[in-house]
Amino acid sequence: MCGIVGIYLKNKKYNSQLGKFLTGMMNSMATRGPDSAGFAIYSSEKKKKYKYSVCSNTDEVKEISKKLSKQVKDIKVKSISDHLIIETAMKPKKFIEILKNYDELSLVGYGSCIEIFKQVGNPKDVVKNFSLEKFSGSHAIGHTRMATESAITTDGSHPYSTGEDECLVHNGSLSNHNNLRRSLLKKGIEIKSMNDTEVAAGYISNGLSDKKSLKETLLDGLKDLDGFYTFISGTKNGMAIVRDEIACKPAVVAETKDYVAIASEFQAMAHLPNVNSAKIFEPEPGKVYSWGK
Amino acid sequence: MNLNLKKESLRKVNETLQSIDRKSNKKIFKISNPDGNHAICAGLKDEIEVTIDGHTGYYCAGMNMNANIIVNGNVGTGVAENMMSGTVHVKGNASQSAGATAHGGTLIIDGDTSSRCGISMKGIDIIVKGSVGHMSAFMAQSGNLVICGDAGDALGDSIYEANIFIKGNVKSLGADCEEKKMNKKDQNILRSLLKKASINESEIKNFKMYGSARKLYNFNIDNVSEY
């Protein structure tokens, strides 16, 4: 099962309501995936600053912040539920190395505008824990998980991020992920879990680092990724959706002059403004749809 | 009678429609704010008319008997699945598996449907004014599927004795599906179906008919290596 949702705002009119919109979408998809939930929010880029979304297994946030600030100059730590958003000018390569010394912290994602949160539990509780309603931004992607293929842990939750400002949510299952994981690891793509979706995220990161566009990468994926899937992929500039050729996994898109919303089922977007007059369609199998700057 | 799904629970609304007092004159109902809920109007069995104002979720009008249901919007997966009789008219688009396994009645879709329209249909008449997705009429056993637009890949795969009438292009045919010559009887069937959907019957000449080549009905020793 699993529920996937995404929303891209075409203008600034609803920026402050992005979190509220996504909360409604995640709540109504809770029935499709009650095991865990997660979401990625994109807000405006801060030049020369990086935001690291980190899941922490300790309550001693203050001590960790202190310890980190000794190693990293000009650091800002924001704590939301069991996640920390660490803001610094330090480049990813260096910072991720430092982070590896902290057993109680695990990196969920990073970039100049992305923040990622994920947690085990009913999506309705998860979005409350992170106060998703209060978030603003330009686009967001969410996932509610019914675990079929790897453990119910934060590591096994979506969205997966294997590159700067990238994220992926997935409804379905892949059958050739073990082989792909091995070949991507050889290419230096970091994949931490045994989950199939993380491999697909790594596949996209690899494509993007080869200077291919997101659209090209997803089209290549139709040949290389075996299994059932509807993917929503996010980057700094926007989002894209693709369904495999069999298209067993549902998706519906609603587009108005102000936003594009994607969800597994229409009921997830019934609360969005003017949705009844939106252009509503189902993405065709094997076709990539993308929106963005 | 107006039923508002924002005020009343889906279960309550469906119960009201499923337990009609046959002596009462209340035969016309309207459902507002469907908001993509699943199984709206599932299991109706009386001759009533229900109009749903908005988009519905999965299995809308599933197992319908006798009722005439109109949807002023789009429908999700499995609209009118396993319908026995009555009419379902969707003014927008339909998702996957529209009219799946339905034994009877009429399903009219003004827009397009996605994949597997009429999968395993067992006697229903389906009229789609737009196009249908891949694997439509898969293992269709009986009934008629009329498509005014185009069909996706593998139309009529493993079809039994259902008829497919199509005006547009067929991307590809499924196994054991072939074009048939339309005789007078077939034309009359098509004429009555077009009439039901208020389509001009002069269009008949633009339709082609497809059905089973009946080559999969019996085991063929020449194919033994395929199994």
Side-chain angles (χ1 to χ4, degrees):
Chain A
M1 207 67 161
C2 293
I4 53 175
V5 296
I7 183 157
Y8 173 80
L9 303 177
K10 292 180 176 174
N11 52 46
K12 291 200 169 125
K13 188 172 163 189
Y14 291 120
N15 272 15
S16 63
Q17 292 183 66
L18 184 75
K20 201 176 129 200
F21 290 167
L22 198 72
T23 303
M25 296 177 91
M26 302 267 298
N27 282 345
S28 55
M29 287 296 95
T31 45
R32 288 186 70 94
D35 294 332
S36 71
F39 55 90
I41 300 263
Y42 291 87
S43 50
S44 52
E45 192 174 3
K46 283 194 177 169
K47 286 264 153 69
K48 290 188 182 162
K49 287 268 187 195
Y50 289 94
K51 287 190 282 190
Y52 299 88
S53 306
V54 169
C55 177
S56 91
N57 286 323
T58 168
D59 294 331
E60 288 145 2
V61 175
K62 267 189 188 160
E63 282 156 45
I64 288 211
S65 307
K66 237 188 226 166
K67 209 168 143 195
L68 266 171
S69 58
K70 277 180 195 157
Q71 287 174 287
V72 186
K73 273 189 290 174
D74 191 20
I75 190 170
K76 244 175 36 192
V77 181
K78 188 170 70 178
S79 163
I80 307 172
S81 186
D82 61 353
H83 276 46
L84 304 175
I85 302 296
I86 303 169
E87 200 179 297
T88 161
M90 189 179 270
K91 293 228 163 97
K93 219 174 174 180
K94 215 168 155 194
F95 186 82
I96 290 167
E97 270 317 302
I98 291 174
L99 214 56
K100 280 180 183 161
N101 300 318
Y102 293 78
D103 286 341
E104 60 276 61
L105 301 182
S106 58
L107 184 70
V108 178
Y110 67 93
S112 56
C113 42
I114 196 172
E115 290 181 23
I116 299 185
F117 302 86
K118 47 190 185 182
Q119 207 170 62
V120 171
N122 190 291
K124 288 182 181 176
D125 299 326
V126 174
V127 296
K128 246 187 231 155
N129 294 344
F130 290 120
S131 312
L132 171 59
E133 262 194 344
K134 291 181 188 148
F135 280 81
S136 59
S138 57
H139 52 299
I141 283 164
H143 185 267
T144 62
R145 180 167 188 238
M146 185 176 278
T148 53
E149 169 279 348
S150 61
I152 303 175
T153 56
T154 307
D155 268 356
S157 310
H158 305 214
Y160 280 103
S161 180
T162 49
E164 195 176 319
D165 282 315
E166 291 167 26
C167 78
L168 180 73
V169 295
H170 172 201
N171 176 200
S173 61
L174 300 177
S175 50
N176 63 339
H177 59 104
N178 283 329
N179 259 341
L180 264 175
R181 185 184 291 108
R182 281 188 284 271
S183 71
L184 289 167
L185 287 172
K186 270 186 210 157
K187 286 178 184 165
I189 301 286
E190 206 159 314
I191 296 169
K192 293 174 211 149
S193 72
M194 290 309 287
N195 184 281
D196 55 344
T197 308
E198 192 176 12
V199 174
Y203 179 88
I204 294 170
S205 298
N206 185 49
L208 294 177
S209 67
D210 284 348
K211 300 280 175 242
K212 280 187 207 153
S213 70
L214 180 61
K215 200 168 181 170
E216 281 173 312
T217 308
L218 291 174
L219 281 174
D220 286 347
L222 288 169
K223 284 178 260 148
D224 293 335
L225 300 168
D226 294 340
F228 296 114
Y229 49 88
T230 299
F231 288 134
I232 305 177
S233 175
T235 65
K236 186 153 68 171
N237 300 324
M239 65 175 185
I241 180 169
V242 65
R243 300 171 80 193
D244 69 87
E245 301 270 9
I246 306 285
C248 279
K249 297 299 176 189
V252 55
V253 177
E255 186 165 6
T256 71
K257 65 179 195 332
D258 297 319
Y259 64 82
V260 179
I262 308 173
S264 299
E265 297 172 22
F266 174 77
Q267 61 169 319
M269 34 210 196
H271 66 287
L272 296 176
N274 305 318
V275 75
N276 284 319
S277 56
K279 181 187 160 205
I280 295 169
F281 64 95
E282 273 188 21
E284 282 177 35
K287 200 170 154 183
V288 177
Y289 298 78
S290 61
W291 297 270
K293 281 177 251 177
Chain B
M1 190 178 172
N2 219 333
L3 302 161
N4 186 346
L5 273 171
K6 265 214 168 105
K7 289 186 181 149
E8 285 169 276
S9 74
L10 173 65
R11 189 156 289 207
K12 180 98 189 293
V13 167
N14 274 349
E15 264 172 20
T16 305
L17 296 170
Q18 285 159 0
S19 43
I20 300 287
D21 178 2
R22 290 185 179 160
K23 285 179 207 144
S24 130
N25 288 324
K26 265 187 208 151
K27 293 273 155 71
I28 296 174
F29 298 85
K30 197 169 183 168
I31 297 177
S32 51
N33 298 308
D35 285 356
N37 272 296
H38 300 322
I40 297 174
C41 286
L44 305 193
K45 49 191 186 299
D46 291 298
E47 278 182 43
I48 54 172
E49 188 184 303
V50 188
T51 305
I52 304 169
D53 263 334
H55 309 306
T56 72
Y58 295 178
Y59 313 123
C60 175
M63 301 175 282
N64 181 45
M65 254 164 63
N66 298 319
N68 176 15
I69 298 161
I70 298 158
V71 184
N72 286 321
N74 301 326
V75 290
T77 297
V79 62
E81 56 94 26
N82 217 49
M83 175 154 71
M84 304 304 284
S85 62
T87 306
V88 176
H89 185 173
V90 178
K91 300 280 180 81
N93 298 325
S95 179
Q96 302 180 54
S97 308
T101 72
H103 291 249
T106 308
L107 170 63
I108 301 169
I109 292 152
D110 286 355
D112 302 324
T113 83
S114 55
S115 58
R116 306 174 192 95
C117 177
I119 181 173
S120 194
M121 55 194 267
K122 295 177 173 71
I124 187 181
D125 290 326
I126 305 176
I127 303 137
V128 182
K129 294 190 186 173
S131 299
V132 299
H134 63 271
M135 296 292 274
S136 287
F138 176 51
M139 294 187 89
Q141 288 140 55
S142 172
N144 301 291
L145 172 60
V146 180
I147 306 156
C148 298
D150 304 328
D153 273 318
L155 177 70
D157 193 281
S158 308
I159 191 171
Y160 293 84
E161 292 306 303
N163 299 319
I164 303 170
F165 299 96
I166 178 162
K167 199 169 113 183
N169 297 317
V170 177
K171 198 169 173 201
S172 69
L173 286 174
D176 209 34
C177 183
E178 64 174 16
E179 193 180 342
K180 302 266 184 194
K181 226 180 158 180
M182 232 194 285
N183 60 27
K184 264 258 156 61
K185 205 175 130 204
D186 304 322
Q187 281 179 345
N188 286 338
I189 293 173
L190 179 58
R191 181 173 294 115
S192 73
L193 292 171
L194 293 178
K195 209 171 152 194
K196 269 190 196 172
S198 319
I199 299 166
N200 195 330
E201 60 180 76
S202 66
E203 290 279 0
I204 289 178
K205 60 179 186 304
N206 300 323
F207 278 83
K208 284 180 177 171
M209 189 172 88
Y210 293 87
S212 176
R214 302 189 181 106
K215 282 182 186 149
L216 292 179
Y217 272 40
N218 300 301
F219 177 70
N220 184 345
I221 193 67
D222 294 338
N223 294 337
V224 74
S225 61
E226 305 277 326
Y227 299 106

